[in-house]
Amino acid sequence: MTAAPDGQLPLLLERIDRQARERFGLGRVADYIPALTDVDPRQFGLAVALVDGTCHAVGQADVPFSLQSITKLFTFVLAFRSEGDGLWRRVGREPSGAAFNSIVQLETESGIPRNPFINAGALVVTDILTSRYAHLDYALLGALRRLAGEPRLYWNARVALSERQTAWRNLALACFMKSHGNFDNDPELVLDNYCRQCATEMSCLQLARATRFLARGGRGDTGDPPVISADQTRRVNALMLTCGAYDGAGDFAYRIGLPVKTGVGGGIVAIVPGVASIAVWSPELDTRGNSVAGTWALEALARHTGWGHTGF
Ligand code: GLN
């Protein structure tokens, strides 16, 4: 894996920042969660956290945005850490090829979601964590604050409420899994936790720092014990590569070739194992719910640095 030549990364990021903004207007801000439309669509931020501890950032990299499905990465890591391979009894690890909120496969696959990064799978993960933590919302916030090194992180209560009041499809997914015996808690309670989790806000800089452990074999920024083992980290990255962009995962692997996790807030996190974690944000989405300018920026970054397409 090649790293960008020393000193050239800041210049490259500035060029990408300028060119990514030419993509404004090509996508649409998510509006099925009404409060997400409050955001100014013409924003772009990019942060690269290198494994040596340095960070490079351009654009609106310090503006907090709604993490949405990116939180599925963190809840999966927490559940994988506590359940180990037992987790795979409740959720699969295959790409779904279907929309992130699809219910179709659950019908034929007996209530076992394809992977932890689609909504059904993430709801199962949140169900597992709801059983484990008395106050999952605050436990998760505490974990995210430690990872990002930012004690003031919070969820946006307006966005959480807006999603909760319109979460009929997610409630249907949870109830359907409950009917198959793959849900332990009251779906309404899990939905409360899920909507708060999704409404957590971070900036690109904070998100890049919070995911740096995935580029460092599970080791965080402080001298604390590893977040997860090196072996688990490889597996998280593999799952991000195959399932991290919903039904766009194949296209992401083709264009970028890095483990990613996307969210309908317009954020994307990408991992370059052994090199860096990257967070990019721009609110306008393509039809699959992935950031248009963010995807373009990652493709440009991967092409110019040689990051990605490991082993090909
Ligand atoms: N909270 C959103 C939902 O459940 C997250 C979806 C996403 O980011 N793809 O619909």
Side-chain angles (χ1 to χ4, degrees):
M1 177 114 12
T2 21
D6 265 356
Q8 291 188 14
L9 190 57
L11 285 176
L12 174 60
L13 296 185
E14 275 169 32
R15 199 167 78 223
I16 290 175
D17 179 33
R18 273 196 311 276
Q19 294 180 353
R21 289 167 192 276
E22 291 166 17
R23 270 79 199 162
F24 288 168
L26 296 180
R28 287 193 53 203
V29 172
D31 57 6
Y32 74 98
I33 300 172
L36 286 183
T37 58
D38 290 351
V39 71
D40 172 4
R42 300 173 78 82
Q43 299 190 77
F44 176 84
L46 173 61
V48 178
L50 296 168
V51 289
D52 67 6
T54 54
C55 285
H56 298 274
V58 286
Q60 278 115 342
D62 53 2
V63 175
F65 63 90
S66 195
L67 289 184
Q68 294 299 321
S69 275
I70 295 174
T71 59
K72 293 171 176 154
L73 173 61
F74 296 108
T75 50
F76 168 62
V77 164
L78 277 186
F80 196 31
R81 184 168 72 177
S82 62
E83 307 299 309
D85 284 339
L87 186 66
W88 306 122
R89 283 195 295 272
R90 303 275 312 270
V91 60
R93 47 177 192 257
E94 291 294 341
S96 70
F100 63 87
N101 55 2
S102 170
I103 200 166
V104 176
Q105 284 160 349
L106 279 184
E107 171 86 39
T108 51
E109 296 174 5
S110 309
I112 307 288
R114 277 283 175 99
N115 68 67
F117 293 156
I118 52 172
N119 283 14
L123 286 163
V124 165
V125 168
T126 301
D127 178 50
I128 291 169
L129 295 174
T130 298
S131 301
R132 183 163 280 272
Y133 295 94
H135 296 285
L136 174 59
D137 42 8
Y138 284 99
L140 182 62
L141 204 55
L144 294 176
R145 286 173 176 174
R146 275 192 299 282
L147 283 173
E150 175 51 73
R152 285 165 304 183
L153 290 184
Y154 215 78
W155 64 77
N156 181 319
R158 203 176 116 69
V159 172
L161 184 66
S162 175
E163 176 165 14
R164 187 66 184 88
Q165 286 171 337
T166 53
W168 306 117
R169 187 182 279 253
N170 283 332
L171 190 60
L173 292 170
C175 291
F176 193 78
M177 293 188 285
K178 183 105 181 152
S179 79
H180 276 284
N182 191 22
F183 220 76
D184 294 329
N185 297 283
D186 177 355
E188 302 272 1
L189 171 66
V190 174
L191 252 283
D192 289 345
N193 282 333
Y194 175 84
C195 292
R196 283 189 200 121
Q197 144 197 335
C198 289
T200 308
E201 293 186 336
M202 274 193 208
S203 68
C204 288
L205 268 164
Q206 292 163 345
L207 181 59
R209 287 197 191 105
T211 50
R212 185 150 45 191
F213 71 98
L214 291 171
R216 299 211 313 200
R219 283 173 296 112
D221 280 359
T222 59
D224 293 345
V227 182
I228 45 174
S229 70
D231 187 56
Q232 283 179 319
T233 306
R234 272 194 312 120
R235 292 165 199 280
V236 173
N237 282 323
L239 209 72
M240 290 171 75
L241 185 67
T242 52
C243 309
Y246 330 118
D247 45 338
D251 197 46
F252 262 72
Y254 180 81
R255 291 171 60 186
I256 299 162
L258 293 171
V260 297
K261 185 71 204 86
T262 65
V264 292
I268 309 175
V269 49
I271 306 299
V272 192
V275 179
S277 54
I278 305 162
V280 62
W281 168 63
S282 190
E284 291 177 334
L285 309 178
D286 63 19
T287 51
R288 288 166 164 152
N290 298 318
S291 169
V292 173
T295 306
W296 180 88
L298 282 178
E299 189 177 7
L301 188 57
R303 186 175 336 107
H304 288 102
T305 53
W307 295 345
H309 295 114
T310 325
F312 299 150

